[in-house]
Amino acid sequence: VTWFSGFLKQNSAWKKQKSCRTSPLLPMTPKKPQQWLQVVGHAGSFHVGDYGTLLKRFCEGEQQCYLRLMEDTLRPFVPLYHGVVQHGEQDYNMMDNLLTHFNTPAIMDCKMGSRTYLEEELVKARERPQPRNDMYEKMVAVDPEAPTVQERAQQAVLKTRYMQWRETLSSTASLGFRIDGFRKANGECQTNFKRTKSREQVVEALDSFVESNTHIVWGYLRRLKQLRQVLESSHFFKTHEVVGSSLLFVHDWTGKTGVWMIDFGKTVSLPPHHTLDHRTPWAEGNREDGYLWGLDNLIDVLTNMLPVT
């Protein structure tokens, strides 16, 4: 993953290739293309489409999730999905650009859940226990004391060890969510949250993002509480392991706020008759992802940022 802040703006024509059955491409009022502020993510993954849309590099798993979400009670809490289009030689999932109706927005990406790797990733890594030098380098860059004596001698760590160690650095393991990055309306960008772990550190970061504006905090809280209520009854949510997904927070100087679920590339459906409550602590094999536990904690943190009345 390339950590960066920037604008990706593309006005080239794209070709409609195929639309999803659940959300056909309806005529939309042309809107001035809104620049897409990508705070964290893969460089080149996004392009701005016409008519208030966003093109995201095609991922079949994510496409399947959006098709199901368009039929679920969560539909108002995700970008509307418009099918697959071709841009150049590459296929893209086309969805609503969530920034279109905001005026010079500030945006934040919060990664939800108590882990950011799938259980199947752990299994695959164990099947091929290959010590990785690149992951060792990443580990010592963050914490030179983290490797064991054996790992230091090998100058390498196993992928399973690295994946589980990484989650303990941030608030992912301790609170069930982590701030990946944010960009304020004035262009100030912050992405150095790999070691933001304590509740106090998270509050400090969130307060910086909202610039101590309690009206913005109230707006986010209302939306998050609505989302939690819908998540608790959503069929899609009960039947999927939601890993590596984010909440996108957006606000502008008018006081308008919005929160949406995004990034479903690592969200996978469960076997028949298997459901999750998303709050039970994860133990390998139960596939719990801690999403609702993290959302509970995020709501609690924001609530405590409000003045006592």
Side-chain angles (χ1 to χ4, degrees):
V1 175
T2 304
W3 293 73
F4 71 99
S5 147
F7 295 91
L8 290 172
K9 186 173 182 179
Q10 193 79 21
N11 294 317
S12 302
W14 41 261
K15 184 178 73 176
K16 181 94 173 57
Q17 192 180 47
K18 46 183 178 284
S19 63
C20 67
R21 295 174 189 166
T22 56
S23 180
L25 185 61
L26 301 174
M28 290 175 281
T29 306
K31 301 184 182 83
K32 184 179 178 182
Q34 165 70 55
Q35 290 170 317
W36 178 253
L37 305 149
Q38 193 182 1
V39 180
V40 293
H42 295 278
S45 294
F46 294 94
H47 292 283
V48 173
D50 294 338
Y51 305 99
T53 61
L54 181 75
L55 310 184
K56 184 178 180 183
R57 189 180 291 273
F58 180 76
C59 164
E60 187 176 359
E62 189 159 39
Q63 178 201 34
Q64 292 305 309
C65 285
Y66 275 116
L67 289 171
R68 293 169 193 149
L69 283 162
M70 292 303 97
E71 296 292 314
D72 191 81
T73 52
L74 280 172
R75 179 177 168 134
F77 294 91
V78 300
L80 283 182
Y81 181 67
H82 301 292
V84 181
V85 299
Q86 205 170 51
H87 179 85
E89 298 301 313
Q90 177 69 47
D91 284 350
Y92 289 84
N93 282 316
M94 182 167 67
M95 61 198 73
D96 278 2
N97 184 338
L98 298 171
L99 307 186
T100 299
H101 300 289
F102 288 86
N103 193 340
T104 317
I107 70 168
M108 177 173 68
D109 182 302
C110 266
K111 193 77 71 180
M112 299 301 295
S114 55
R115 58 189 167 91
T116 58
Y117 52 84
L118 291 166
E119 284 203 2
E120 62 188 47
E121 290 181 90
L122 271 185
V123 172
K124 287 178 182 176
R126 281 205 193 96
E127 288 173 352
R128 299 178 182 176
Q130 186 70 36
R132 296 273 296 269
N133 175 261
D134 58 330
M135 291 182 175
Y136 175 85
E137 295 296 336
K138 287 180 182 179
M139 181 181 278
V140 295
V142 175
D143 183 0
E145 302 303 313
T148 63
V149 173
Q150 182 182 3
E151 288 166 347
R152 199 169 282 114
Q154 290 182 319
Q155 298 276 293
V157 297
L158 293 172
K159 184 178 180 180
T160 49
R161 153 93 164 117
Y162 175 79
M163 289 160 66
Q164 293 174 309
W165 165 81
R166 184 183 57 187
E167 307 296 43
T168 65
L169 293 176
S170 70
S171 55
T172 290
S174 57
L175 293 173
F177 73 90
R178 74 165 187 245
I179 300 169
D180 259 10
F182 64 70
R183 191 184 194 284
K184 297 183 182 180
N186 65 5
E188 178 189 339
C189 186
Q190 294 188 34
T191 59
N192 189 24
F193 297 108
K194 289 182 180 179
R195 304 201 74 173
T196 299
K197 184 174 183 176
S198 71
R199 191 172 285 252
E200 293 72 28
Q201 288 174 312
V202 171
V203 167
E204 184 181 354
L206 290 172
D207 190 60
S208 174
F209 172 61
V210 302
E211 300 184 270
S212 304
N213 186 327
T214 55
H215 176 77
I216 299 297
V217 176
W218 271 115
Y220 282 143
L221 268 174
R222 279 194 297 269
R223 178 73 168 172
L224 289 173
K225 288 178 179 179
Q226 291 167 356
L227 171 61
R228 179 168 63 182
Q229 187 174 9
V230 174
L231 283 170
E232 288 174 337
S233 62
S234 162
H235 176 75
F236 176 92
F237 195 57
K238 284 177 185 168
T239 57
H240 285 77
E241 182 183 356
V242 185
V243 169
S245 180
S246 291
L247 288 178
L248 180 71
F249 291 74
V250 189
H251 68 263
D252 63 20
W253 63 270
T254 69
K256 184 177 182 178
T257 57
V259 182
W260 292 270
M261 297 174 73
I262 60 169
D263 296 341
F264 300 101
K266 291 173 78 171
T267 293
V268 295
S269 59
L270 299 169
H273 311 300
H274 192 137
T275 60
L276 302 179
D277 63 35
H278 302 276
R279 285 192 175 100
T280 298
W282 175 67
E284 192 170 348
N286 72 4
R287 300 187 69 165
E288 288 289 350
D289 51 43
Y291 194 111
L292 275 179
W293 174 62
L295 184 55
D296 290 340
N297 284 326
L298 180 53
I299 287 172
D300 186 57
V301 166
L302 287 168
T303 299
N304 289 327
M305 287 172 61
L306 294 171
V308 178
T309 56

